[in-house]
Amino acid sequence: MTTKINYTKAYREKTKELKEMQAHAESQIKFLEERLAHNQKEFDKAVASNRRYQEIVLEQRGIIGFLEGKITKLTELMEEQ
């Protein structure tokens, strides 16, 4: 009879321990999911910012190319005169 009581007590203790471990694991999973969502938002912002930066660089290069073309034409006209 004592053996049965000991097994029952051990079972209850182990069950309680496992439930605590499960609750902790679920808490950690929730935290990690929230952190992942936050990091994804930050990554998306960085990607968008980088795209905008690349657009600005391309626009600047286009303007510089246009101005270089105008300067070349002006230089050629001045040389002709």
Side-chain angles (χ1 to χ4, degrees), residues 64-78:
I64 291 169
F66 174 77
L67 292 174
E68 286 175 342
K70 291 291 184 185
I71 291 170
T72 302
K73 286 182 184 178
L74 287 171
T75 304
E76 289 172 356
L77 287 173
M78 290 176 73

Side-chain angles (χ1 to χ4, degrees), residues 8-75:
T8 303
K9 183 178 178 184
Y11 174 78
R12 287 183 185 149
E13 288 175 2
K14 190 52 92 174
T15 300
K16 181 181 176 186
E17 184 181 323
L18 290 172
K19 284 181 182 180
E20 289 171 355
M21 289 172 64
Q22 181 181 6
H24 179 71
E26 288 172 353
S27 172
Q28 288 294 314
I29 289 169
K30 183 179 179 184
F31 169 78
L32 292 172
E33 286 173 340
E34 290 170 355
R35 191 72 190 147
L36 178 62
H38 171 76
N39 288 347
Q40 184 64 46
K41 287 178 186 176
E42 291 298 315
F43 177 77
D44 291 344
K45 283 188 214 175
V47 168
S49 176
N50 187 41
R51 280 193 198 126
R52 181 63 187 134
Y53 171 77
Q54 289 176 352
E55 290 170 359
I56 291 169
V57 168
L58 289 175
E59 186 178 334
Q60 297 282 4
R61 287 181 183 166
I63 291 170
I64 291 169
F66 174 77
L67 292 174
E68 286 175 342
K70 291 291 184 185
I71 291 170
T72 302
K73 286 182 184 178
L74 287 171
T75 304

